[in-house]
Amino acid sequence: MELTVAMLLILLNLASWCVLSEGRLLVDMTLVSDASSIGAFCLDGSLPAYHLHRGFGDGASNWLLQFEGGGWCNDIQSCLDRAKTKHGSSLYMNKLEDFNGILSNDASLNPDFYNWNRVKLRYCDGGSFSGDAKFDNGTSVLYFRGQKIWEAIILDLLPKGLGNADKALLSGCSAGGLSSFLQCENFYRALPTNTSVKCLSDAGFFLDERDITLNYTMRTFFENLVSLQGIEKNLDKNCTSFLDNPKLCMFPQYFLNYMTTPFFILNTAYDVYQFHHALVPPSADMNGDWKRCKLSIASCTPQQLDILQGWSLLWHQPSWIFSLVFSYYII
Ligand SMILES: *[C@@H]1O[C@H](CO)[C@@H](O)[C@H](O)[C@H]1NC(C)=O
Ligand SMILES: *[C@@H]1O[C@H](CO)[C@@H](O)[C@H](O)[C@H]1NC(C)=O
Ligand SMILES: *[C@@H]1O[C@H](CO)[C@@H](O)[C@H](O)[C@H]1NC(C)=O
Ligand SMILES: *[C@@H]1O[C@H](CO)[C@@H](O)[C@H](O)[C@H]1NC(C)=O
């Protein structure tokens, strides 16, 4: 019995490996050459980039844009470090990008979007495509121009067919899922009124909640990010005019109710990033009591499981469910 299961697993692994290796789709990078005219640069001053794979058949006039994810940098040192990586400079990006998952062109793996025009927006600003500032102290320069990068890529794609799209979907995962929240209304505004525009966030619903020592670790992190990268002026205006602390409008929970574009939210209640960095950040676990639990849920104590359960219930706040229900549309 166990042997059969093991063999089945091996076969499944083999099968998926074959599909992946046969169906591997590598897509060339496009540098946005006009980006410099609006001051859109990666952290290090290099040009921003995207990868476009053209649609075909009945998907030829539909567009799927996906924000790349990859955390944030919220102080000068971490941004200087990031500027020397593929998440801060197009000089270090792989020029061929593997299009899989929702970007795949294989109908059996990606039945809904395989023949759409599919675009991956490379992430090199460290501020979820929302900043607009510059650091220059005479010896070091950093460009916090995520908002400009977003605008430059849209301007580049509009004449390539995005401007005549029938359906358009903006998506992203993690920090890219947050970008999808932050830019969704702008995406809607950038497209003709007869285009069907929707947005999707995968693991981008970052919560403004206290960690296990009752410290607002994630809030402090985002406040520093918003300040450093000049993000506040690009946040939802209804939200920033309503809240005493406008920087909190970086958190989707505060501006979700002002969004009018159909939005699909996908987020696990036990999101590993938020468990490890928001609920139990290293600063809240100096003794390492959570180390084993973080490595494997099966090693958590009953008390730790209770805390995790409580965290997952935060997602069930009535006001959010209300807006979530009204935001759920199928493409
Ligand atoms: C500029 O900032 C960098 C990074 O913080 C620092 O190493 C450097 O000494 C600063 N230069 C000046 C002139 O203050
Ligand atoms: C939207 O309207 C324009 C102008 O009337 C038209 O050319 C275009 O085909 C329409 N697009 C869709 C998706 O209906
Ligand atoms: C609370 O979080 C901030 C920001 O991460 C940190 O600087 C501070 O030391 C933390 N305080 C406690 C008591 O853990
Ligand atoms: C946002 O604010 C504008 C003007 O202040 C208002 O017209 C609009 O209805 C508000 N939107 C929502 C969704 O509350």
Side-chain angles (χ1 to χ4, degrees), residues 61-62 163-167 192-196:
S61 58
N62 295 338
N164 299 316
D166 185 2
K167 296 180 185 174
T193 49
N194 60 353
T195 299
S196 162

Side-chain angles (χ1 to χ4, degrees), residues 274-296:
Q274 300 204 51
F275 171 23
H276 291 188
H277 296 92
L279 178 63
V280 191
S283 62
D285 185 34
M286 293 305 212
N287 298 332
D289 295 334
W290 283 77
K291 210 172 156 192
R292 284 166 43 111
C293 173
K294 279 182 170 184
L295 286 173
S296 158

Side-chain angles (χ1 to χ4, degrees), residues 192-252:
T193 49
N194 60 353
T195 299
S196 162
V197 180
K198 298 178 183 183
C199 305
L200 157 71
S201 170
D202 181 0
F205 199 105
F206 294 94
L207 291 174
D208 178 32
E209 278 299 333
R210 294 184 290 185
D211 66 30
I212 50 166
T213 65
L214 306 184
N215 198 354
Y216 280 101
T217 298
M218 203 62 196
R219 179 184 291 186
T220 308
F221 186 90
F222 270 8
E223 282 172 342
N224 292 338
L225 175 65
V226 170
S227 301
L228 177 75
Q229 297 222 15
I231 292 174
E232 192 174 314
K233 61 175 177 287
N234 296 322
L235 297 174
D236 185 290
K237 301 265 183 308
N238 295 58
C239 179
T240 53
S241 59
F242 180 72
L243 289 191
D244 289 338
N245 180 358
K247 292 186 174 61
L248 294 186
C249 295
M250 189 76 179
F251 289 98

